[in-house]
Amino acid sequence: MKKLIIIFTPLLCISIILGCAFGSADIMQLIGNDTDTALIIILNLRLPRVIAAVLCGIGLSVSGVLLQCVTGNTLAAPNIIGVNSGAGFCCIVMLTFFPKASVLLQIGAFAGAFITTLVIVGIASHINAFRGTVILAGIAITAVLNACISFLSLLDSDVLTAYNAFSVGGLAGIRMSQLYVPAIIITGCLLCSLILSRRIQLLCLGDAIAASLGVSISKLRIACIILASASAAAVVSFAGLLGFVGLVVPHMARRISGERTSKLLITSSMIGAILVILADLFGRIILAPTEIPVGIIMALIGAPFFFILLFKRRGDNAEM
Amino acid sequence: MLKCNNINVKNILCDVSFEVKRGSFTSIIGKNGSGKTTLANCIASQRKYGGSISLGNTSMLDISPCDRARIMAYLPQSLPSPNISVYDLVTLGRSPHTSLGAKLNKSDIESIDNALAVTGMTMLSNRMVPSLSGGEKQRAFLAMTLAQNTDILLLDEPTAHMDMHVAAEFTELLNRLGKTLIVIMHDLSLAIKYADNVLILDSGKQIFFGSKKDLLVTDTIEKNFNVRKIENDGEIIFTV
């Protein structure tokens, strides 16, 4: 564990420095000529954005690790169990019916994501067949919510435009005040996950062995899903529907640190944070001054990377 | 010590009753589909059943999952291959004895080292579980259950994927542990060799429960499994 922290902490620090130093404005030139403007850009624009990227990386990665452990399926991710569609649905409802209450958009997205997860957990618990059921219930609910989103977006083209920006996922214009509550939720979820990590590890051994080792399986699964959902919902509330981080990062971390849950959580958080900072930075500088939202960059990096992982797994005995 | 009274599971088990004494080796044998694994799941309180299973005077269902895990360890037939080291796997056996987020203390480390030593896995403790052979993996998981420090071990076909020689070594190792063992076995010769008591199931019904001595004076095994009994240097072997 110490080795991983020693390796990844400097990389994270370098990423944060790069994220603050580069963008459409040339900070190095400004520091020489106009230090005050340079400080304003760094402290008010770039630092909040880099912190938001770190929170996105940690929140979505922790969520992905938890969901993959709980469902025993390495394809599980926050968007698959319905967190994203729940947030998206609430968001479009707010945009359609309360267009002036944009302040409430963040709270609405969080509530939507969280309530959808509770509904899915409720369905899975009621059926009493948890592992695959959570994913199947998530797919079914996602389909229904996406249909509702499409219908509402047909009613008003302004709503559709606003929703598109939310659905792609991005960190442009983020303010520090938007990050306090998500930061508390994401940090809390990470700490709770680390405390539960040895119990979560038991779930990876299968239900029979986990139960034999004294784990109350259904309670632990529900606790993990709530943590995963809260963590992802906190990210969705300020960054929109950012995809691929929760799916790809746990796979990358697993290759580096193995499957020990505590190590996996730490490694995933570090890799997730670094990846989102760099993806956001890339989106800012590649077509500067035009910005490409981080959600698009993550999909462009994430999808091919995921294919590479899948091809590397060919011949392995690992189950998908 | 452990008493099963009229265990019933709809369409699978019918009135199975037997008693396991402290420190004894009880073999459960039966053809495929006879209900052996279902019975093991009932004993481990992992499925609903009719009848009662009690430990002393206490029903198993009245014991909390964590307390139960300090009394009985259960190893199912199919074992996963988590990508963790053998040492980390064995460490998980201490879960019922450690509180959430707590670090392992001296006695936990001693139990883990002892479990690795008893199963002969000390040298392999840094190996990753997926890189182990079938027999080594079975021993690694046995070490995990030994680290659990329970009086009772309930094992479902632990020698299923082993060749004859490794299976005999593994069963010998189990016998040396001095624990109360309830073992589902498919190898009749090994099941009889080490057992103090034998339970035979056929289509969910109990057709024999008693001591090895009582069993061997009858032809129950020969009739039910269509095998012949051969005595070789005092050792009883069942062959087709």
Side-chain angles (χ1 to χ4, degrees):
Chain A
M1 184 85 95
K2 277 180 191 165
K3 267 187 199 172
L4 291 170
I5 293 172
I6 290 168
I7 293 167
F8 282 108
T9 307
L11 291 177
L12 181 60
C13 292
I14 292 168
S15 307
I16 290 171
I17 292 166
L18 289 174
C20 289
F22 294 98
S24 52
D26 189 346
I27 288 292
M28 303 318 266
Q29 200 180 11
L30 277 174
I31 283 175
N33 300 331
D34 188 353
T35 314
D36 288 346
T37 312
L39 275 176
I40 288 169
I41 290 174
I42 290 173
L43 294 178
N44 291 352
L45 297 175
R46 291 192 186 165
L47 192 61
R49 196 163 173 156
V50 168
I51 292 171
V54 170
L55 290 174
C56 276
I58 295 174
L60 293 175
S61 305
V62 167
S63 180
V65 169
L66 290 175
L67 290 173
Q68 288 175 12
C69 284
V70 160
T71 59
N73 189 327
T74 49
L75 284 176
N79 51 334
I80 290 177
I81 69 152
V83 174
N84 282 10
S85 52
F89 175 70
C90 267
C91 184
I92 204 158
V93 167
M94 302 284 276
L95 288 168
T96 309
F97 299 106
F98 313 100
K100 287 179 183 168
S102 58
V103 187
L104 296 176
L105 211 61
Q106 201 177 355
I107 299 165
F110 182 85
F114 203 72
I115 290 167
T116 310
T117 310
L118 291 181
V119 169
I120 290 163
V121 168
I123 292 169
S125 313
H126 186 70
I127 296 168
N128 200 21
F130 218 97
R131 278 193 167 217
T133 322
V134 171
I135 292 179
L136 293 174
I139 290 169
I141 297 264
T142 300
V144 173
L145 291 174
N146 282 345
C148 295
I149 289 169
S150 300
F151 174 72
L152 288 173
S153 64
L154 286 175
L155 299 178
D156 189 340
S157 58
D158 291 342
V159 169
L160 180 61
T161 311
Y163 178 74
N164 277 344
F166 175 81
S167 68
V168 168
L171 302 172
I174 209 114
R175 294 185 308 277
M176 209 61 173
S177 58
Q178 281 176 276
L179 299 177
Y180 296 137
V181 175
I184 291 167
I185 294 171
I186 290 165
T187 312
C189 288
L190 175 62
L191 291 176
C192 289
S193 307
L194 285 171
I195 290 168
L196 287 171
S197 62
R198 207 176 290 155
R199 297 286 191 272
I200 296 168
Q201 180 78 67
L202 297 178
L203 288 179
C204 302
L205 300 179
D207 289 2
I209 295 177
S212 162
L213 287 164
V215 174
S216 184
I217 292 172
S218 53
K219 282 182 191 167
L220 181 62
R221 283 219 171 102
I222 289 173
C224 287
I225 290 200
I226 288 173
L227 285 175
S229 150
S231 189
V235 173
V236 168
S237 71
F238 67 85
L241 307 182
L242 196 59
F244 268 103
V245 181
L247 182 65
V248 173
V249 171
H251 283 272
M252 296 167 85
R254 220 170 259 125
R255 291 195 161 259
I256 295 166
S257 65
E259 281 178 10
R260 208 171 110 186
T261 311
S262 52
K263 274 188 185 176
L264 194 56
L265 283 165
I266 296 288
T267 317
S268 293
S269 300
M270 296 278 207
I271 294 175
I274 293 168
L275 200 66
V276 179
I277 292 173
L278 295 181
D280 184 49
L281 177 63
F282 188 71
R284 274 187 283 155
I285 60 174
I286 191 75
L287 291 176
T290 307
E291 280 191 14
I292 303 173
V294 66
I296 293 174
I297 303 291
M298 278 311 304
L300 288 173
I301 298 171
F305 186 82
F306 199 64
F307 277 123
I308 293 168
L309 282 179
L310 287 175
F311 281 118
K312 279 194 172 176
R313 284 172 78 104
R314 197 174 58 177
D316 291 358
N317 289 327
E319 284 173 18
M320 205 66 181
Chain B
M1 186 188 192
L2 183 87
K3 201 171 178 182
C4 296
N5 252 334
N6 298 320
I7 303 301
N8 281 288
V9 175
K10 199 179 173 186
N11 299 330
I12 304 176
L13 286 176
C14 181
D15 289 334
V16 177
S17 299
F18 64 100
E19 201 174 335
V20 176
K21 287 181 183 154
R22 186 183 289 273
S24 66
F25 188 132
T26 303
S27 289
I28 301 175
I29 55 177
K31 291 175 192 165
N32 288 342
S34 58
K36 304 184 295 289
T37 296
T38 305
L39 179 62
N41 286 333
C42 293
I43 297 170
S45 304
Q46 294 195 2
R47 69 171 297 158
K48 289 178 181 170
Y49 57 87
S52 68
I53 301 175
S54 55
L55 200 68
N57 293 324
T58 316
S59 166
M60 285 294 266
L61 298 175
D62 293 335
I63 304 172
S64 73
C66 196
D67 286 341
R68 207 184 298 130
R70 292 181 189 139
I71 299 166
M72 179 163 66
Y74 172 44
L75 210 53
Q77 188 182 350
S78 66
L79 299 174
S81 290
N83 193 19
I84 55 175
S85 70
V86 170
Y87 190 87
D88 285 342
L89 177 74
V90 178
T91 302
L92 296 175
R94 296 302 297 164
S95 299
H97 302 274
T98 50
S99 47
L100 280 178
K103 284 191 172 179
L104 297 174
N105 60 31
K106 210 175 170 184
S107 87
D108 293 324
I109 306 279
E110 271 174 22
S111 296
I112 292 162
D113 290 343
N114 186 43
L116 286 166
V118 168
T119 51
M121 291 301 286
T122 308
M123 297 290 279
L124 301 176
S125 62
N126 289 326
R127 285 262 300 272
M128 301 302 274
V129 175
S131 73
L132 300 175
S133 69
E136 287 168 345
K137 187 165 100 170
Q138 201 67 252
R139 278 195 287 148
F141 274 91
L142 179 66
M144 185 192 79
T145 56
L146 290 182
Q148 210 174 324
N149 251 345
T150 57
D151 284 342
I152 306 170
L153 285 186
L154 172 62
L155 311 173
D156 188 353
E157 301 213 12
T159 59
H161 305 294
M162 297 178 188
D163 60 44
M164 276 169 59
H165 177 68
V166 180
E169 263 182 14
F170 187 84
T171 318
E172 172 68 37
L173 166 67
L174 290 178
N175 195 41
R176 283 202 309 266
L177 295 174
K179 302 249 181 198
T180 306
L181 291 160
I182 306 166
V183 188
I184 295 174
M185 299 194 75
H186 67 286
D187 185 322
L188 296 173
S189 305
L190 281 178
I192 302 300
K193 182 179 176 184
Y194 292 102
D196 297 308
N197 292 304
V198 180
L199 172 69
I200 304 177
L201 296 176
D202 185 31
S203 304
K205 287 178 188 146
Q206 173 179 334
I207 56 170
F208 180 88
F209 175 71
S211 69
K212 174 168 71 176
K213 206 174 163 188
D214 291 344
L215 176 65
L216 290 176
V217 295
T218 68
D219 57 357
T220 315
I221 290 186
E222 289 93 321
K223 270 186 179 172
N224 276 280
F225 295 92
N226 291 324
V227 291
R228 284 184 301 124
K229 182 165 73 178
I230 301 169
E231 280 203 52
N232 186 10
D233 290 338
E235 197 171 316
I236 294 161
I237 298 164
F238 291 94
T239 181
V240 181

